[in-house]
């Protein structure tokens, strides 16, 4: 424990020294942030059958597909941390095979495709990173989620489409990349207006089943979602 | 016109001497039958009518006499040397005395492929792959020769007949796959398939003129849709070379489309409760929450 504290103290001292090395640095004005996010995803559709049937697994197997999202947030408060609201959208798809009436696997393909959209409320404790020089910013997020989905059959035609709503809770850690090259970061701010760049990793627990509606399936992730990406403050 | 033509003919030896080193433009060649920039065996031997159109521009020589003319000819040798200068070159004139009208560009159309390739002086064979060079030449006001050159391939290769696997039944469709095969039965050389055409008909019926699916190589499978479940169909596949030479027919296979449950059908058959469409239950509450926030954001942005 003492070693950890010593390491953190050394990191803080080094960071302070870095911050003092460029006292004239002026940030451009801030609007909010843009984030690029990549995660795995597998909808929990089979959950409603309680193990008696597994139509999703039968069609698509047990793989998790990649989901990519882009988000834009408006900054409302910046002081002892930052509070933002924003929206995001992305894309996910999974291809599998249909089944003949006897249950055997057909050559015809079938696909589930999703455009996930979110309304995000984020608090990021970036005070340490931006004021003290410790390049870590823990954050938390509550999101209202809407999964816009459609199912395709072998011909490529859409069989059915719909949307499922829900919410999610996210906790994560962002690493301020400016820390590693403050001069380059300031030049980037002057040239592009990007004040700070973070790389982040977070965990999300989602509940997306139209809030328990008896007419909806469960589009929550089957497990806690691990995501990573880049965050640009501008 | 006759004196000018005579003068041009007198100049041809000079033209020929210069042509090897004065290629100064391009001839664009278009076919009437297709646009694959290759003459296939059927087009070559005339069993399929095909005519050529030419447009050209000689670029270096800008002083084209108003009364000048282009001579358009075919050669089997790169650079368009005349047979009078290169013993191995074979040429045949398509047209002479095409007036320049003071322009460095010209055009000529309506040339039958089979007739020009079998002209006296040429030795093209429809079963031997070749490159056909088309040359447009003129003499400018200073007496220098300008020659525009274009080319088109004579595709004499015939792909082997594909070997088709038993089709896999799909929903109102058949999945067809094949291998490229190895037997050449036409008069051409062994060729590589550039594309495949899949023909489908009800069992025992005549195959249609137009393919049900066309696939570009190296893909060797296709899904033929628009069929009726429960009906037996025959399938045959042909391979085509890049110039459009058609292989012999593949083996004929048969298959019957059947109903296939896609994921949605499987889900519903299992007793799934989702019915599709926009969200249910508390979804309206979400919309109510989101709408004011979006409106607030818009309002704050306004001056």
């Amino acid at each position: 424990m003492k070693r950890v504290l010593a390491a953190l103290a050394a990191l803080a001292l080094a960071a302070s020294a870095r911050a003092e090395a460029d006292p004239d640095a002026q940030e451009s004005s801030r609007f909010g942030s843009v984030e690029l996010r990549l995660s795995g995803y597998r909808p929990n559709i089979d959950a409603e059958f309680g193990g008696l049937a597994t139509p999703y697994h039968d069609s698509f197997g047990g793989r998790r597909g990649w989901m990519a999202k882009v988000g834009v947030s408006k900054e409302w408060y910046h002081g002892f941390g930052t509070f933002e609201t924003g929206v995001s959208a992305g894309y996910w798809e999974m291809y599998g095979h249909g089944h003949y009436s006897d249950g055997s696997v057909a050559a015809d393909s079938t696909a589930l495709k999703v455009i996930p959209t979110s309304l995000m409320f984020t608090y990021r404790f970036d005070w340490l990173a931006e004021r003290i020089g410790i390049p870590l910013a823990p954050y938390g997020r509550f999101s209202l989620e809407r999964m816009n989905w459609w199912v395709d059959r072998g011909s490529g035609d859409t069989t059915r489409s719909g949307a499922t709503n829900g919410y999610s809770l996210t906790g994560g850690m962002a690493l301020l990349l400016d820390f590693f090259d403050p001069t380059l970061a300031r030049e980037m701010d002057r040239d592009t207006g990007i004040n700070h760049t973070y790389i982040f990793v977070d965990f999300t627990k989602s509940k997306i089943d139209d809030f328990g509606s008896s007419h909806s399936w469960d589009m929550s992730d089957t497990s806690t979602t691990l995501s990573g990406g880049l965050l640009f403050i501008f | 016109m006759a004196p000018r033509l005579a003068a041009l003919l007198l100049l041809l030896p000079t033209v020929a001497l210069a042509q090897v080193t004065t290629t100064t433009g391009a001839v664009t060649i278009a076919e009437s039958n297709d646009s694959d920039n290759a003459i296939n065996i059927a087009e070559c031997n005339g069993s399929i009518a095909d005519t050529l159109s030419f447009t050209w521009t000689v670029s270096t020589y800008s002083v084209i006499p108003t009364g000048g003319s282009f001579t358009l000819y075919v050669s089997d040798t790169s650079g368009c040397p005349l047979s009078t200068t290169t013993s191995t070159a074979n040429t045949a004139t398509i047209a002479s005395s095409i007036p320049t009208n003071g322009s460095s560009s010209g055009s000529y159309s309506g040339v039958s492929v089979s007739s020009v390739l079998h002209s006296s002086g040429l030795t093209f064979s429809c079963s031997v792959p070749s490159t056909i060079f088309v040359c447009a030449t003129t003499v400018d006001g200073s007496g220098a020769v300008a020659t525009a050159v274009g080319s088109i391939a004579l595709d004499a290769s015939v792909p082997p007949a594909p070997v088709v696997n038993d089709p896999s039944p799909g929903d109102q469709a058949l999945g067809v796959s094949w291998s490229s095969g190895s037997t050449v039965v036409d008069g051409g050389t062994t060729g590589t398939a550039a594309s495949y055409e899949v023909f489908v008909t009800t069992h025992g019926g005549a195959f249609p003129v137009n393919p049900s699916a066309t696939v570009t190589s190296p893909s060797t499978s296709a899904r033929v849709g628009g069929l009726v479940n429960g009906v037996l169909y025959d399938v045959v596949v042909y391979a085509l070379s890049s110039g459009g030479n058609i292989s012999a027919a593949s083996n004929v296979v048969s298959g019957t489309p059947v109903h296939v449950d896609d994921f949605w059908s499987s889900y519903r058959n299992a007793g799934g409760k989702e019915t599709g469409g926009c969200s249910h239950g508390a979804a309206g509450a979400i919309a109510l929450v989101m709408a004011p926030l979006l409106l607030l954001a818009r309002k704050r942005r306004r001056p």
Side-chain angles (χ1 to χ4, degrees):
Chain A
M1 188 61 183
K2 284 181 179 176
R3 285 182 180 175
V4 173
L5 289 173
L8 285 174
L11 184 64
L13 283 172
S16 299
R18 276 172 173 272
E20 289 169 7
D22 190 12
D24 297 329
Q26 293 291 322
E27 280 191 25
S28 61
S29 60
R30 295 165 61 121
F31 171 83
S33 66
V34 170
E35 68 177 52
L36 308 174
R37 169 179 295 270
L38 193 63
S39 67
Y41 172 67
R42 184 171 186 269
N44 201 22
I45 290 172
D46 287 343
E48 72 177 88
F49 301 102
L52 299 176
T54 54
Y56 181 89
H57 185 276
D58 295 344
S59 293
F60 303 113
R63 295 168 295 154
R64 290 174 66 80
W66 288 103
M67 177 182 285
K69 295 179 83 172
V70 177
V72 180
S73 293
K74 172 79 174 78
E75 181 180 291
W76 300 106
Y77 167 78
H78 180 60
F80 193 66
T82 301
F83 177 73
E84 295 176 332
T85 59
V87 293
S88 71
Y91 183 71
W92 177 92
E93 67 179 18
M94 183 61 72
Y95 277 88
H97 287 280
H99 290 81
Y100 296 123
S101 54
D102 64 0
S104 59
V105 177
D108 269 7
S109 66
T110 185
L112 174 62
K113 301 178 181 181
V114 178
I115 294 179
T117 53
S118 307
L119 176 63
M120 309 176 293
F121 304 88
T122 307
Y123 174 75
R124 186 172 50 255
F125 184 59
D126 51 15
W127 186 80
L128 288 176
E130 296 181 12
R131 303 294 175 85
I132 304 300
I134 296 175
L136 295 174
Y139 61 93
R141 171 177 291 170
F142 170 76
S143 299
L144 294 170
E145 307 281 3
R146 182 176 177 86
M147 295 293 203
N148 305 280
W149 53 262
W150 65 100
V151 178
D152 288 349
R153 58 187 172 199
S155 63
D157 298 332
T158 296
T159 305
R160 197 67 175 169
S161 62
T164 308
N165 294 328
Y167 64 91
S168 68
L169 292 169
T170 299
M173 183 69 76
L175 172 65
L176 181 62
L177 297 179
D178 305 11
F179 174 81
F180 300 102
D181 194 338
T183 305
L184 181 63
R186 294 283 62 81
E187 286 177 2
M188 189 170 175
D189 189 7
R190 280 197 302 273
D191 294 344
T192 67
I194 295 174
N195 303 65
H196 301 291
T197 305
Y198 290 88
I199 187 169
F200 65 83
V201 60
D202 61 34
F203 295 92
T204 298
K205 193 67 182 172
S206 58
K207 184 69 173 172
I208 308 169
D209 60 353
D210 277 339
F211 304 95
S213 167
S214 60
H215 298 290
S216 296
W217 57 15
D218 190 350
M219 293 294 284
S220 314
D221 197 343
T222 50
S223 59
T224 301
T225 308
L226 172 63
S227 304
L230 289 171
L231 174 71
F232 302 97
I233 310 296
F234 67 99
Chain B
M1 180 59 90
R4 285 204 181 96
L5 180 59
L8 181 63
L9 290 174
L10 285 172
L11 277 171
L12 270 178
T14 311
V15 167
L17 285 172
Q19 277 166 342
V20 176
T21 55
T22 56
T23 300
T24 59
V27 178
T28 302
I29 305 167
E31 288 182 90
S32 63
N33 188 47
D34 51 42
S35 56
D36 55 16
N37 199 36
I39 294 169
N40 62 37
I41 294 171
E43 292 164 346
C44 176
N45 63 28
S47 59
I48 293 178
D50 191 21
T51 58
L52 299 176
S53 299
F54 311 96
T55 55
W56 62 86
T57 299
V58 288
S59 55
T60 301
Y61 296 80
S62 57
V63 186
I64 304 295
T66 305
S69 65
F70 291 107
T71 296
L72 190 65
Y73 63 98
V74 173
S75 174
D76 63 0
T77 305
S78 175
C80 290
L82 289 174
S83 53
T84 52
T85 62
T86 305
S87 60
T88 56
N90 297 292
T91 62
T93 301
I94 297 173
S96 58
S97 306
I98 303 169
T100 62
N101 296 323
S103 170
S104 59
S105 300
S107 64
Y108 196 83
S109 60
V111 178
S112 165
V113 168
S114 61
S115 62
V116 74
L117 291 185
H118 295 99
S119 299
S120 173
L122 294 176
T123 57
F124 290 113
S125 167
C126 295
S127 60
V128 178
S130 309
T131 301
I132 300 157
F133 296 93
V134 178
C135 325
T137 188
T138 188
V139 180
D140 75 1
S142 67
V145 177
T147 303
V149 177
S151 67
I152 187 168
L154 172 55
D155 179 12
S157 64
V158 180
V163 178
V164 185
N165 306 316
D166 286 337
S168 56
D171 193 18
Q172 300 175 2
L174 288 174
V176 186
S177 64
W178 58 87
S179 57
S180 59
S182 58
T183 305
V184 178
V185 296
D186 206 317
T189 60
T190 303
T192 303
S195 62
Y196 298 93
E197 291 183 342
V198 182
F199 295 81
V200 177
T201 185
T202 51
H203 182 59
F207 284 102
V209 174
N210 295 319
S212 301
T214 300
V215 175
T216 302
S217 183
S219 177
T220 54
S221 64
R223 184 181 191 275
V224 180
L227 308 179
V228 179
N229 287 345
V231 174
L232 183 64
Y233 289 91
D234 293 340
V235 179
V236 69
V237 179
Y238 291 86
L240 283 79
S241 68
S242 58
N245 294 319
I246 304 172
S247 73
S250 71
N251 54 313
V252 177
V253 296
S254 300
T256 305
V258 297
H259 174 74
V260 174
D261 287 330
D262 66 357
F263 166 60
W264 179 255
S265 298
S266 298
Y267 170 81
R268 293 292 293 170
N269 291 343
K273 57 188 181 180
E274 173 66 52
T275 54
C278 284
S279 49
H280 305 277
I286 286 287
L288 287 174
V289 169
M290 293 174 80
L293 288 169
L294 292 173
L295 286 173
L296 180 64
R298 283 188 65 183
K299 195 172 181 180
R300 289 182 69 121
R301 276 199 295 273
R302 287 176 183 159

